[in-house]
Amino acid sequence: MSLPRLGFIGLAVVAALATWLLLAGPARVFGIEAGNAGMVLLMAVGWGSLHAISRIPDGGIGESMSPGEWRAWLGLAFTLVIAAYAIVHAPVFHGPPLWHNPDANRIGRNIVMLLVAWMLLARVLDARWRRGVRQDERDREIEARGAGAARLALVVILVGYALLLSFSPTERLEWAVPPLLGHLLVLALIVSCAFEYLVVGLGYWRDRR
């Protein structure tokens, strides 16, 4: 296994650990507040990604991953973590309105924190990439396939929601309270983004083979 791949795996593991510490970990780890430790690790992942991309020769010649592939796999890791977190904590949204539900408010804020963290990192990665590497027709084609996969995934999920709500007996829809439905819509967007990153990452990976 090449060093760039090992570096990506290491960054993904650290990012997952940082997310766990920030949102679902214990109050303290080895005497250190878990939130602070998670923030430091998340910052380390961001800087590590920038450093790794800056060392990729000629945008990904040979077995090295291109910046676009780095961005796709990192994005997939972030969105899968966010989606898993949203699914695990979905039951807290089955309750009173958000302004009377502190647990749902906390989970919602945590999801927003993760999304904002990835958006900022993705913006920095994208700016660094476009300054150093010219986007070619291959990149545009792979990105177009990824965007198409995201749209298809979102349509399929929303149609599934619509069919479930339309054809289920009323007595079986007690779970479908507004806060939970809103949460499921956000989850649909997150999952569609994960599909986009997956298709883009696989596109670059197949192109390297």
Side-chain angles (χ1 to χ4, degrees), residues 11-34:
L11 287 171
V13 170
V14 174
L17 177 60
T19 301
W20 176 73
L21 289 173
L22 280 169
L23 306 178
R28 304 185 72 84
V29 177
F30 300 116
I32 303 173
E33 186 178 349

Side-chain angles (χ1 to χ4, degrees), residues 114-205:
L114 275 176
L115 291 173
V116 170
W118 167 242
M119 288 172 61
L120 292 176
L121 178 58
R123 183 176 292 273
V124 174
L125 291 173
D126 191 58
R128 182 67 175 268
W129 176 21
R130 295 186 188 282
R131 283 201 304 267
V133 180
R134 294 185 62 183
Q135 191 179 37
D136 57 20
E137 188 64 30
R138 180 199 65 162
D139 297 310
R140 287 188 286 270
E141 181 181 348
I142 292 175
E143 289 181 358
R145 289 201 300 266
R151 289 193 296 269
L152 178 61
L154 184 60
V155 168
V156 170
I157 295 172
L158 293 181
V159 170
Y161 286 171
L163 293 175
L164 177 64
L165 295 174
S166 299
F167 291 97
S168 296
T170 304
E171 60 272 13
R172 294 187 179 181
L173 291 177
E174 295 180 356
W175 59 269
V177 295
L180 182 57
L181 292 178
H183 181 70
L184 291 177
L185 290 175
V186 173
L187 179 60
L189 292 173
I190 296 171
V191 171
S192 69
C193 290
F195 270 98
E196 178 177 2
Y197 289 127
L198 177 61
V199 171
V200 171
L202 289 176
Y204 280 110
W205 177 74

Side-chain angles (χ1 to χ4, degrees), residues 1-17:
M1 183 176 292
S2 62
L3 287 178
R5 291 183 180 178
L6 287 175
F8 165 72
I9 293 174
L11 287 171
V13 170
V14 174
L17 177 60

